[in-house]
Amino acid sequence: MRNRTAFTLVELLVVIGVIALLVSILLPALNKAREAAHRVACSSNQRQLVMALRAYANDNRDCVPLGYLFSSRWGSYMIRDPVQYGTKPYLMLGILYISGHLTDPKTYYCPSEIDERWQFDTAINPWPPETATTYCRAGFGVRPMVQFGGGSGGTPPLGVPAGNKWPHLRDVQHNALVTEMLIYRPASNLDSLATRHRTGINAGYADGSVKWVPRELFNAGYWVENILALNANGAAIGGVWYELDRQY
């Protein structure tokens, strides 16, 4: 008669326990490895964005599309806004898209982002930009140097910087040009850095370098009202972008 062998209940529980233990040990390491890969991809995307800005400047008399929406210096992430900007809806990084200097869509986004507003091609942030009936947002923001034109009846002209003047690349040499989303509103429970790398940000500089900046270096100045403070001559004197510049 053939002997039959089978797992006892105790043995089965032991196997399940061992598997659970291995998962608990390996999962944090896998998550850490995945985030490390995302951080590298994020850095690469920012480097490509900076190089595209440099190429745009080379083709357009040193001018670069660095700016922000209305008075909101944190609002530097918009690609297209047909609601407010009518017949000239492309803004900031959107200028690189329509000029053909950077057409790879995923380059405009950080792979670590979990908020759908700043992810690639979601229900509330569709791609390509020209198909969006509302907003198309990038996952990164550019240096908030000049305010883009107002809404449907506004002056200056729609979709162009205030005074119709682009900033020049030569004016921001050695400064940060592109970085992660910078929005902090405690009253609304909104912290854009908490939805991706958490411990810091990548920042792309005018020379094409990208640096990892630990969050604690600018935590004290991380407020919507203090993204970039300028003096009467337009020089940075405070805020997050000022701290990023100091890391160069």
Side-chain angles (χ1 to χ4, degrees):
M1 181 175 180
R2 182 179 300 175
N3 292 328
R4 299 179 63 185
T5 59
F7 283 113
T8 66
L9 178 60
V10 172
E11 290 171 331
L12 182 60
L13 291 175
V14 169
V15 170
I16 293 174
V18 170
I19 293 174
L21 178 62
L22 290 174
V23 169
S24 67
I25 293 173
L26 294 176
L27 191 58
L30 291 174
N31 287 337
K32 185 177 292 186
R34 180 174 59 184
E35 170 53 24
H38 284 174
R39 208 161 93 179
V40 170
C42 172
S43 173
S44 175
N45 288 349
Q46 287 198 31
R47 183 172 290 105
Q48 292 181 68
L49 286 168
V50 170
M51 297 312 294
L53 287 168
R54 290 173 60 89
Y56 185 93
N58 186 61
D59 293 338
N60 292 275
R61 301 182 180 180
D62 202 47
C63 295
V64 282
L66 306 177
Y68 57 95
L69 301 180
F70 305 109
S71 60
S72 303
R73 289 192 178 275
W74 55 268
S76 60
Y77 53 81
M78 197 65 71
I79 289 178
R80 185 173 184 268
D81 180 1
V83 177
Q84 296 292 337
Y85 289 84
T87 58
K88 296 183 179 180
Y90 289 92
L91 311 167
M92 277 79 81
L93 292 174
I95 303 300
L96 299 180
Y97 173 75
I98 61 172
S99 69
H101 286 85
L102 188 63
T103 56
D104 182 359
K106 292 188 178 181
T107 304
Y108 293 89
Y109 300 92
C110 172
S112 287
E113 182 61 71
I114 61 174
D115 190 319
E116 288 190 358
R117 286 172 292 183
W118 294 289
Q119 286 181 326
F120 169 66
D121 198 17
T122 65
I124 59 176
N125 195 41
W127 193 278
E130 56 269 24
T131 64
T133 57
T134 55
Y135 307 119
C136 181
R137 308 171 183 88
F140 302 111
V142 296
R143 190 179 187 86
M145 293 192 66
V146 296
Q147 182 178 342
F148 272 69
S152 56
T155 2
L158 305 179
V160 297
N164 218 3
K165 295 180 180 178
W166 292 95
H168 292 98
L169 185 62
R170 61 176 174 269
D171 295 332
V172 288
Q173 291 297 329
H174 314 304
N175 293 144
L177 298 188
V178 180
T179 191
E180 313 276 358
M181 294 300 310
L182 296 171
I183 306 176
Y184 183 48
R185 291 175 169 174
S188 304
N189 196 31
L190 178 58
D191 179 358
S192 64
L193 299 190
T195 62
R196 50 181 73 175
H197 307 301
R198 300 177 185 273
T199 58
I201 63 174
N202 283 310
Y205 290 78
D207 66 350
S209 63
V210 178
K211 301 182 184 301
W212 174 254
V213 182
R215 177 169 174 161
E216 59 266 21
L217 292 183
F218 57 85
N219 246 359
Y222 182 36
W223 295 86
V224 168
E225 296 82 3
N226 195 27
I227 293 299
L228 180 62
L230 304 176
N231 63 17
N233 297 320
I237 57 174
V240 177
W241 287 88
Y242 173 76
E243 295 299 329
L244 294 176
D245 294 345
R246 293 176 65 188
Q247 304 308 311
Y248 182 81

